[in-house]
Each structure stands twice: as structure tokens, then as C-alpha cells.
Amino acid sequence: MKKLTYLIMLMLGLLAVTFSCRQKVSVDSDEQKIPVYLDESKPIEQRVEDALSRMTLEEKVKMCHAQSKFSSAGVPRLGIPDNWMTDGPHGIRPEVLWDEWDQAGWTNDSCIAFPALTCLAATWNPDMAALYGKSIGEEARYRNKNVLLGPGVNIYRTPLNGRNFEYLGEDPYLASRMVVPYIRGVQQNGVATCVKHFALNNQEKFRHTVNVEVDDRALYEIYLPAFKAAVQEGKTWAIMGSYNRYKEQWCCHNQYLLNDILRKEWNFDGVVVSDWGGVNNTEQAIYNGLDMEFGSWTDGLNEGASDAYNNYYLAAPFLNLLKSGKVKEEELDKKVRNILRLVFRTNMNTKRPWGSFGTEEHALAGRKIAQEGIVLLQNRNDLLPIDFTKIKKIAVIGENAVKVMTVGGGSSSLKAKYEISPLEGIKKYVGNKAEVVYARGYVNDKLRKKDNIKQDGVEINDVIDTRPTREITAEAVKAAQNADMVIFIGGLNKYDFQDCEGNDRKELGLPYGQDQLIGELAKTNKNMVVVLISGNATAMPWVNDVPAIVQTWYNGTEAGNALASVLTGEVNPSGKLPFTFPVKLEDNGAFALGEYPGNSLNVKYNEGIFVGYRWTDKQKIKPLFAFGHGLSYTTFTYGKASIDKKQMVGNETLTITIPVKNTGIREGAEVVQLYLSDVESSLPRPVKELKGFEKIFLKPGEEKNVTFTINTDMLKYFDDKQHQWVAEPGDFKALIGSSSDDIRSTTDFSLR
């Protein structure tokens, strides 16, 4: 019965969309012409006001809250279609029942799973972000979704955050530069991005209750820049609030974040959407910047009420306050204007393309992004790429070699059209050049069904292995003894308390006894490659015992092919880490200062602006692997940086140029990174901050000049006393290198 109801409502929704797309043939009965709100030649603000004037109070209120798990009401009477949201940002979520999280059982909603956003950030290539956005936008458009719930740009503050895999790393500049082309790529399809989670949602533990205490410098310098870039440069059409609190107000209806910063300072003209169940108070939801409320049950958190959506904070309670006169209709109109603007930009834009879904083109785009994002962390003795003149038998060991990774992790879970496992990819790329054997090595401790996903009518479960641990370990060691090379494929997975929404990790080490197993295997076979699949940094107590380490990610549909192409050398690795790998948790600022995770009510960001490499630089801590680190199968030589002038005055700019040459025998790509350092300032500043990067592709022997332009804005810090950005005159250094701890050339300049 639930499925039948869902199908009926879906058909009605599709009819409404069809009707709206044909409104140009209808006429206004009074003036015998196209109504202004349907005339796409008219300015959008004029259309919004015309539509608003035709709506009843009840119709307006209905637009402000959900009517199903992922839709909100349009105005059928006026041909204004419903809004249909879909979870992202790594693929288009399968259809669910109208009022439940269970899948609807469609047979044509299997998507292409794209790499997780940590992989995208690791490409350090805005062109890959544009390709990503275009591709996933086409998938969303084809499925008739007009809002994609992503991308996420929350800053990587701690390596234990369960949702770090969904975000773009620890650095605000890197995240800003990568999010803008993603947004533009999606929205060119007439699909809105809904950038999330605004703001300070940097941990899953206590996420529904915790109040974040952070100084204004850290807020503006670290946690807001990517959101600001998304609004002012990317022109995102939607923003999603976060569950946590800031200044004792819930972030989904927060005066400071939504009204003062988002609307007034940044001039955001899009729609603010709540996270699902993130609304907690009707009055605050009315006045503190929220436009659309989504959730699970009555108030998004409690179960069991009938007609649940009508009881949402912005539903019947809102309507009653309006009818009683306690709330002025202008408060409602503010919200509906933003929602109508969204509708006119998306599903009432008759010129938007049709999109495409589940295509080979999209799968190959995902593979390309994955290939550029895989990071070669260590490669002693040039063990990689695999030398098939020496390697005739390869032992692939580890559960993650065969484990489905497109499912799980919370709201980013997908129903992928297919997923190539690492073992499948390795066998395909190795072909008949070597024998490939497999051993499980370790087993996760949670057998679970894959979110009701079925293949050929059979529910997908984890691969079951009930043998004793000692037997599984012995099998792996024996396989390693008899092989010329071991490729261990481990890391994390998308279960609860790992890389998963809802909870944070409990430790930095690898789960399921992997650290001990890697140690045993390393003693058995010196030709060992450790491949880690994760969205977070992990400890590596065995780092000195294995020659080669590869960091890969949740890379989606083409994950196995992407990994194998790098291991075998068909693709030269060019990814760089988007966050710091600490040796131990205490090397992270949030842990060193004792304020993670706080308690259920409060957490203090005592480290302030010193997040990630800013903290390790300040404390002179050597990381396990530094921010921006990543090796290649070729070598790059940096020349001496030259600067066109040594002094900037006022708003002048200066240019720094550095030659970079491929001195190896393979074609490859290098990410040239620019960091700036304020030699002496009145306020504490980081030792250096990323302010530019460029990924260049060079053939063997080829040399290119990389040029960076420095302007005054790049020298500013946020003065919380004046509440403004300040560029303080004085001496600066420009540091250019291959990572944050591998600076190749430095030059001085001053601001006067």
C-alpha cells in the first residue's frame, strides 16, 4: 500500500512538472496574455513577486516545509511544481518510499557512484571539480531532481570525524577553489547545489546538541571561507544548515550565521534548507533565516505522529501564528520569495538541458577523477609501478579488496549501477602478465545487509567469513610467503564509528587487527604495498616496515580500475593529500588542547586558527605525511622563484614565477603550491598559509613556468576587534613547494 501511495504521489508530481513546462500556451483570463510569473523573458524578481501575489496563505506555508522525505509542495493551481531533493554529493540517491527511508524498489534508479569528495580535493585540480559537477548535475537532472544536497565543505578539524570523507579537506583555500567549479558544473544543468553544513559541523559525536565555541578569527579565517566562495563565486542557489549550535542558537535557524553573515554580509539570495530534523523551534525558524524545513517525522526527530508533515515547526504552528496575527505575513513572504527564486532557476526553467544518467561517460569521468586523486605516500626502492619482468605472482590480501564501498556511510549511501572492486581491477589490469591470488586477511566484526539493496532479486550482504582469526591470518601469511609481491588492501569502511554519518571514529589506528596483520606480512615479504581506502587519516605504526604506501579513497563505480591503473603504471599518480596525517592524535590541535569532542552541550575550539598543518607548523611537529604531500613515478625539479617587484603599495599586485621541470622518464603531473608567511604581525598568525596552487602536466624533459599573482587580499587576516579583514604593512615571504613541508624556493617582498 505504501508503494502504491508513493507511485500515485510521484505521478501527480510529474504531471505538475509537465504542466508547468507547458505554461506558455496558457493565458491569463483577464488580460489574455502569459502571466508574468510564467514569462521567462521577464526579470526573475518580477516573476517572483507576481507569483507571490497570486498565492494563498496556505499555499505559501506549504512551500516552507516537506511533504515527503525528499519533496516539498509546489502550487499545482498555478503550475508551480514541487521541489525534489536528492542526497549527494557523490551520486544520486535511489528513490525511497514517500514517507519512509526504505527504498521504493525501482529498477531504473541505479546511479554512477562518483569518488568521495576527499578524493576530489586530493586531485588539487579545479578542472576535475568542474567535470565532477557537470557529470553529477546531469545525473540529478535526468532523475528530475532540482536540488542536490551537497557538496559538503566543513573543515577537517579532527581525523576522527565520521563525515570527513564527504568534505574537501583541512584548508579553507583549497576547499574554496575546489567547491566553486563543482557548483557551476551542477547548476549549469538547472539543478541547485545545496552546500552543507552551515556551519561548524566538524564532528558527528553530539552533533544534535553541541554548542560550538569558536573565536571570530577562526570562524572567518578557517570555517567560513569555503561557504563564502560557494555563495559569492559559485553562486550556489541553496545552503543547508547544520545540526549543531553556535552562540547557543541552532544553526538551522541562527541569527548570526544566516541573517547577519549569509544574508547581510554575503548577500545570499538563495534558499536556506534545514538539515533533516535540524529545526527545533517555530519562532526561531520564522525569524532566524530558515526557508524550508525537512526532516523525518513530526519535528524531524520524534516518530509516530499521523499527518507528520503538517505538524512541522514551519507547518501548522506557523500557519496558526500567521492567522492569529502574532506573526506578520511579510515574514512568510521572505521565505517564499527565496523558494520561488529557486523554482524559477531550476524546474521552471524550460531551457535547462535534459541530463543523462548512468552513462559510460559519467563512469569514465569518475575514473579520471579517482586516478588524479590517488596519492602515492611512500615508494622506497621504486617498488611501484609493478615491474612485471620481476613480479610473476601477486598476493592481494585484505577485506577491502572485495568489499562494497558505495553503500553505507549514512546519507551518502548509494545504489550504484556497478562497482569495480580493487581485486577485480587488479586482475583486469595485470591480465596474463602475472598470477593473482587472494586471501581475506581480516574480517570486519559487523555482518550487515546493504541497505536493502538487491541484485538479481537477492539481498546483498557483506562477504561472510566465519573462520577463526588465526586461520584467516595464517592463510594470508602463507599467500604472502609464496608471492613475489604483496598488495595489502585495507583501511576503513563506511560502517558506524568509521567513515560514517552519525558517529565519529574511536581511534586513529586501523580496525579489525589490520596493524598487527600488516606487521606480520611485512616480515614475510619485503615487496609489500599497503593500499589504504579511507576518508580519514590513520595511524601507521608499520610505516618504516613497508616500502610502498598508497592512499586511495571511496572512489565509487570505477574504484578498482582507477587503483589498478595506478599500481600497474598505466597512470602516473598525481594526487596530493588534502589533510595532514598525524603520527598520533596528540599531534592534532583539537586533541592537544583537550577540546574534542567536548561534552554533549559544548565544545571549545581552543586551537583557534591553528588547524591541520597550521598546528604542526606552529608546534614544530613532524607529521606522518604532510598536507599537500604526494609522490610520482617521475621526478620534478624546481628552479629559483623570481618576483617582478619586491614591494606592494596599496592595492597593487605582484607576480611570482618559478620554473618546474620533469626530470624523469615518464609523463606526469605536479601540484605546485604557494604559501605566504607574514614575517611579523601584531596578532598571532600561522607560519604559512596556502594561497595558490597549480597542477601542471609535463612530458619527460619538459619545463614550464608557473606564475602566481599576489594581491592584498591574500595577505589579510581577520581582526575580530574591528570585525574586518586587515592587511598589515610589513615584510612577507612567498614559499613555493611540492607540499607544506617540502618548500623548494622562497622569496621576500613587502607591503607598504
Side-chain angles (χ1 to χ4, degrees):
M1 186 54 134
K2 290 174 181 174
K3 289 188 178 182
L4 178 60
T5 303
Y6 172 79
L7 289 171
I8 292 172
M9 296 302 292
L10 180 66
M11 290 175 66
L12 290 173
L14 291 173
L15 285 171
V17 173
T18 302
F19 176 65
S20 70
C21 292
R22 288 164 171 75
Q23 285 301 308
K24 287 196 174 184
V25 302
S26 64
V27 294
D28 188 293
S29 58
D30 295 325
E31 302 176 8
Q32 292 298 302
K33 63 180 182 180
I34 299 172
V36 170
Y37 75 96
L38 292 172
D39 188 348
E40 292 182 86
S41 69
K42 301 292 185 184
I44 195 167
E45 297 307 317
Q46 187 177 342
R47 297 175 65 198
V48 166
E49 293 304 320
D50 182 59
L52 189 67
S53 70
R54 299 168 186 265
M55 295 170 62
T56 67
L57 191 69
E58 289 76 9
E59 288 170 338
K60 293 178 188 177
V61 171
K62 282 185 177 180
M63 294 193 83
C64 295
H65 66 85
Q67 65 176 0
S68 77
K69 280 289 179 281
F70 286 100
S71 72
S72 63
V75 187
R77 180 179 62 85
L78 298 177
I80 297 174
D82 298 345
N83 287 292
W84 279 92
M85 317 254 170
T86 182
D87 267 322
H90 309 138
I92 308 308
R93 186 177 184 141
E95 301 297 331
V96 299
L97 298 174
W98 184 263
D99 195 34
E100 295 188 27
W101 293 110
D102 288 343
Q103 290 187 29
W106 287 26
T107 59
N108 62 349
D109 59 347
S110 296
C111 70
I112 294 299
F114 295 92
L117 289 192
T118 43
C119 176
L120 177 61
T123 70
W124 288 63
N125 188 345
D127 289 342
M128 290 298 99
L131 174 63
Y132 198 129
K134 172 183 177 293
S135 303
I136 198 170
E138 289 171 348
E139 297 243 331
R141 170 64 187 97
Y142 186 89
R143 288 270 299 282
N144 209 27
K145 311 300 181 183
N146 69 311
V147 181
L148 177 71
L149 300 175
V153 295
N154 294 106
I155 291 296
Y156 187 111
R157 177 179 179 248
T158 158
L160 299 191
N161 180 15
R163 294 190 85 171
N164 277 337
F165 73 97
E166 295 186 52
Y167 304 142
L168 291 167
E170 72 183 26
D171 185 78
Y173 182 83
L174 175 62
S176 297
R177 300 283 54 84
M178 298 302 289
V179 75
V180 169
Y182 181 112
I183 292 168
R184 292 172 177 168
V186 172
Q187 293 189 167
Q188 73 185 26
N189 289 284
V191 175
T193 53
C194 187
V195 180
K196 61 187 187 183
H197 304 88
F198 191 64
L200 300 167
N201 186 182
N202 307 109
Q203 62 189 65
E204 290 298 281
K205 191 175 179 66
F206 307 137
R207 67 174 178 167
H208 290 290
T209 57
V210 73
N211 179 66
V212 176
E213 297 181 37
V214 61
D215 62 71
D216 278 359
R217 275 199 73 194
L219 180 71
Y220 276 82
E221 291 188 21
I222 304 296
Y223 297 103
L224 292 186
F227 286 105
K228 183 178 181 181
V231 169
Q232 295 190 333
E233 298 177 58
K235 306 295 183 184
T236 184
W237 294 332
I239 289 282
M240 181 188 289
S242 59
Y243 285 127
N244 52 285
R245 294 178 293 142
Y246 169 64
K247 292 193 174 182
E248 300 295 349
Q249 289 186 3
W250 303 100
C251 291
C252 283
H253 34 76
N254 189 291
Q255 170 66 29
Y256 313 101
L257 291 174
L258 300 179
N259 287 338
D260 295 345
I261 295 175
L262 185 64
R263 296 290 184 191
K264 293 178 183 177
E265 290 187 19
W266 298 350
N267 298 312
F268 178 62
D269 70 351
V271 64
V272 174
V273 177
S274 77
D275 205 339
W276 267 231
V279 182
N280 295 275
N281 180 281
T282 293
E283 186 172 339
Q284 290 182 20
I286 292 171
Y287 293 106
N288 289 358
L290 180 68
D291 298 314
M292 302 177 76
E293 178 185 3
F294 282 80
S296 299
W297 295 90
T298 304
D299 59 5
L301 296 175
N302 299 323
E303 298 186 4
S306 61
D307 195 19
Y309 301 105
N310 195 46
N311 290 315
Y312 273 27
Y313 291 108
L314 286 182
F318 190 13
L319 182 61
N320 292 337
L321 288 172
L322 289 161
K323 286 184 174 179
S324 70
K326 293 181 180 179
V327 173
K328 295 181 180 179
E329 192 170 351
E330 65 187 53
E331 299 298 332
L332 172 62
D333 288 349
K334 291 177 186 177
K335 301 178 189 302
V336 178
R337 284 189 180 94
N338 295 329
I339 298 167
L340 286 171
R341 198 175 292 118
L342 170 73
V343 173
F344 291 143
R345 285 168 167 167
T346 58
N347 55 14
M348 285 190 72
N349 173 10
T350 61
K351 298 179 179 64
R352 65 178 182 155
W354 290 104
S356 54
F357 186 70
T359 64
E360 181 182 17
E361 179 186 9
H362 291 166
L364 293 178
R367 186 199 295 182
K368 173 66 174 171
I369 294 162
Q371 288 168 332
E372 284 206 27
I374 292 172
V375 183
L376 179 62
L377 295 178
Q378 184 166 286
N379 194 26
R380 294 200 299 268
N381 304 322
D382 293 329
L383 182 59
L384 290 175
I386 301 170
D387 183 351
F388 290 106
T389 65
K390 300 176 181 178
I391 304 300
K392 297 302 180 183
K393 186 174 184 179
I394 300 170
V396 176
I397 298 172
E399 182 178 88
N400 279 3
V402 296
K403 185 170 178 57
V404 174
M405 292 293 191
T406 54
V407 175
S411 59
S412 65
S413 182
L414 298 171
K415 179 181 174 182
K417 189 171 183 179
Y418 67 93
E419 177 181 350
I420 303 296
S421 72
L423 182 60
E424 289 178 283
I426 289 169
K427 285 183 174 180
K428 174 184 173 182
Y429 274 76
V430 169
N432 60 9
K433 293 188 286 293
E435 179 186 359
V436 177
V437 298
Y438 173 71
R440 184 69 171 263
Y442 69 92
V443 180
N444 75 81
D445 56 4
K446 293 181 180 178
L447 173 65
R448 74 168 199 174
K449 295 179 180 178
K450 293 295 187 180
D451 294 352
N452 300 314
I453 289 182
K454 295 182 178 181
Q455 286 184 350
D456 300 323
V458 179
E459 285 190 351
I460 300 175
N461 295 332
D462 279 333
V463 179
I464 300 172
D465 196 329
T466 58
R467 292 176 296 163
T469 300
R470 64 179 182 278
E471 184 178 334
I472 296 173
T473 301
E475 177 190 58
V477 171
K478 183 177 180 180
Q481 289 173 336
N482 296 325
D484 300 315
M485 170 182 279
V486 173
I487 302 177
F488 177 85
I489 301 180
L492 306 179
N493 58 40
K494 295 167 77 175
Y495 283 174
D496 200 15
F497 296 106
Q498 293 200 45
D499 285 326
C500 185
E501 179 181 1
N503 280 298
D504 289 345
R505 298 167 63 197
K506 295 181 178 181
E507 59 187 2
L508 189 61
L510 295 174
Y512 317 132
Q514 291 178 74
D515 288 327
Q516 294 80 5
L517 176 60
I518 292 171
E520 288 296 314
L521 295 174
K523 294 175 185 176
T524 304
N525 192 319
K526 299 302 181 184
N527 288 334
M528 184 170 175
V529 181
V530 173
V531 176
L532 296 178
I533 300 173
S534 74
N536 260 310
T538 60
M540 300 183 194
W542 34 262
V543 64
N544 295 322
D545 300 326
V546 298
I549 305 172
V550 175
Q551 174 64 40
T552 188
W553 320 93
Y554 302 112
N555 279 341
T557 285
E558 285 284 323
N561 285 334
L563 174 61
S565 69
V566 170
L567 295 176
T568 58
E570 180 177 297
V571 171
N572 194 344
S574 62
K576 300 277 188 172
L577 290 180
F579 49 79
T580 303
F581 273 59
V583 174
K584 56 186 183 300
L585 283 175
E586 291 72 24
D587 291 345
N588 173 273
F591 290 89
L593 298 182
E595 277 292 350
Y596 168 85
N599 57 51
S600 62
L601 296 179
N602 288 285
V603 60
K604 294 181 180 179
Y605 287 14
N606 287 331
E607 73 280 8
I609 61 173
F610 297 101
V611 174
Y613 68 90
R614 291 167 169 81
W615 175 259
T616 54
D617 280 354
K618 179 177 184 288
Q619 300 301 120
K620 298 181 179 179
I621 297 171
K622 181 174 175 56
L624 180 63
F625 293 106
F627 172 79
H629 171 74
L631 304 177
S632 171
Y633 295 150
T634 189
T635 55
F636 300 97
T637 300
Y638 287 59
K640 183 175 176 54
S642 61
I643 191 167
D644 65 341
K645 56 185 173 184
K646 287 286 188 177
Q647 183 171 294
M648 296 170 61
V649 179
N651 292 322
E652 291 180 349
T653 63
L654 60 81
T655 300
I656 295 176
T657 302
I658 186 165
V660 179
K661 184 176 182 178
N662 182 345
T663 52
I665 60 172
R666 297 174 61 99
E667 185 175 353
E670 170 71 335
V671 178
V672 184
Q673 302 162 40
L674 168 70
Y675 297 85
L676 297 182
S677 176
D678 192 343
V679 175
E680 185 176 355
S681 62
S682 58
L683 292 179
R685 299 197 70 176
V687 173
K688 61 179 177 291
E689 297 177 273
L690 181 72
K691 292 296 180 180
F693 62 88
E694 184 175 342
K695 192 167 195 174
I696 57 171
F697 295 80
L698 298 173
K699 295 177 181 179
E702 185 180 7
E703 182 176 280
K704 287 184 180 178
N705 286 330
V706 178
T707 300
F708 296 106
T709 299
I710 297 176
N711 58 49
T712 307
D713 285 343
M714 296 164 67
L715 308 179
K716 291 180 178 179
Y717 63 84
F718 189 81
D719 188 325
D720 51 358
K721 300 290 190 300
Q722 302 180 60
H723 196 79
Q724 65 181 17
W725 290 90
V726 174
E728 197 170 55
D731 295 331
F732 293 83
K733 288 183 179 294
L735 305 97
I736 300 175
S738 183
S739 72
S740 62
D741 71 345
D742 184 10
I743 301 303
R744 305 291 182 88
S745 185
T746 302
T747 186
D748 302 325
F749 66 96
S750 63
L751 175 67
R752 297 288 181 253

